[in-house]
Amino acid sequence: MEQDQDQEHEVISMPRIGDAAPEFKAVTTQGEINFPADYKGSWVILFSHPADFTPVCTSEFMTFAAMEEKFAEANCKLVGLSIDGLYSHIAWLRTIKEKIEYKGMKNIEVNFPLIEDITMEVAKKYGMIQPNEDSTKAVRAVFFIDPKGIIRTIIYYPLSLGRNFDELYRVIIALQAADEFDVATPADWRPGDDVIVGPAGSCGTAKDRMEDSDIDCKDWFFCTKKLDKETVLDRVLRKK
Ligand code: BEZ
């Protein structure tokens, strides 16, 4: 049985968190890009969608495009991909702008690049084709890549499930807050919530933690501290 599956599907390679983002050159709706070199110094979200002219993807593109400026303020650029061709991409984006209204959004212009990947070269490099879901469409993959070109978060959704773009924004802010303030962020964290102080690596540190009045330790391994919203947003949004 295992052997049958191996014979049916080629082995899928997927980059992992902490890996350098695989390099590629591609044609997009905004001209050619050399990835990730062209994005050095910025955060970038590289995301795939199954197909142009499909409803879930349309709702996603409108939502992402409406939030593009908000991501730009957090020094984050957006790059989309599907295995459709360039002319299909152009026609779809024109249709979105001219005809589609969704949740009060209309006349939406998608200004971020949308990669044409008819050969599936990029999609395969990033493990966006998951044959047991669909062998001719990319799933909804989201790669968060930092200004040094390192993959920092990966989220995958199936074809039927539209992404939550507030969550994608929360991730970009949380990753940057963790870097800037050398902290971790707990469940459901949002700017203004307390943050987690990293684990104590020695008995001495554990003891100091318990006695530090700026840190609230419920036990030596579970310590939080205040980090106010303005401080987080000033630092993250100022880096644009
Ligand atoms: C959609 O975006 O609506 C969609 C695309 C592929 C399969 C299912 C839904």
Side-chain angles (χ1 to χ4, degrees):
M1 174 68 188
E2 237 172 58
Q3 208 178 8
D4 285 353
Q5 282 209 336
D6 282 347
Q7 278 165 355
E8 247 173 62
H9 300 304
E10 60 192 291
V11 174
I12 301 168
S13 73
M14 291 174 50
R16 292 165 295 194
I17 292 176
D19 288 356
E23 296 175 357
F24 62 85
K25 288 192 175 130
V27 171
T28 83
T29 49
Q30 302 288 326
E32 285 189 20
I33 60 169
N34 182 7
F35 196 91
D38 290 349
Y39 294 86
K40 224 172 189 140
S42 294
W43 287 79
V44 53
I45 296 179
L46 173 67
F47 69 101
S48 56
H49 74 274
D52 298 346
F53 292 102
T54 50
V56 178
C57 298
T58 299
S59 68
E60 290 193 317
F61 263 67
M62 293 181 74
T63 308
F64 228 170
M67 292 173 75
E68 188 181 8
E69 184 55 37
K70 200 170 155 180
F71 280 92
E73 282 165 8
N75 189 28
C76 178
K77 295 182 173 158
L78 312 177
V79 179
L81 173 149
S82 80
I83 60 175
D84 297 288
L86 184 63
Y87 297 123
S88 164
H89 285 345
I90 293 170
W92 179 46
L93 300 187
R94 284 174 63 89
T95 307
I96 287 177
K97 180 166 160 53
E98 287 163 13
K99 296 202 181 136
I100 310 293
E101 190 170 343
Y102 171 68
K103 281 198 173 167
M105 294 179 278
K106 61 179 181 182
N107 202 28
I108 293 287
E109 197 152 343
V110 175
N111 293 314
F112 54 80
L114 175 50
I115 294 169
E116 91 158 354
D117 191 30
I118 317 173
T119 61
M120 303 195 204
E121 190 189 326
V122 181
K124 284 185 177 167
K125 239 180 200 177
Y126 276 81
M128 293 163 169
I129 306 292
Q130 309 220 341
N132 287 332
E133 175 73 345
D134 197 309
S135 57
T136 59
K137 291 181 178 66
V139 294
R140 302 181 198 281
V142 191
F143 288 84
F144 297 77
I145 297 164
D146 76 13
K148 292 184 178 145
I150 303 299
I151 295 171
R152 299 289 297 276
T153 299
I154 304 172
I155 310 179
Y156 279 89
Y157 298 71
L159 302 188
S160 63
L161 177 59
R163 286 162 275 216
N164 180 323
F165 291 85
D166 289 334
E167 169 64 1
L168 305 190
Y169 184 71
R170 190 187 77 89
V171 170
I172 218 52
I173 300 292
L175 287 170
Q176 295 190 52
D179 285 0
E180 288 288 324
F181 300 101
D182 195 21
V183 293
T185 49
D188 295 333
W189 179 86
R190 295 197 165 267
D193 292 347
D194 293 354
V195 291
I196 303 276
V197 182
S202 69
C203 293
T205 314
K207 180 170 177 292
D208 293 347
R209 288 267 166 85
M210 295 298 286
E211 290 165 1
D212 186 334
S213 59
D214 288 339
I215 299 180
D216 177 18
C217 287
K218 302 301 180 208
D219 200 340
W220 65 273
F221 72 95
F222 192 91
C223 300
T224 60
K225 70 175 181 183
K226 302 253 167 266
L227 183 55
D228 63 79
K229 185 173 177 175
E230 288 67 36
T231 308
V232 173
L233 295 182
D234 275 2
R235 190 83 73 87
V236 171
L237 305 182
R238 153 181 85 67
K239 295 193 101 194
K240 187 164 71 145

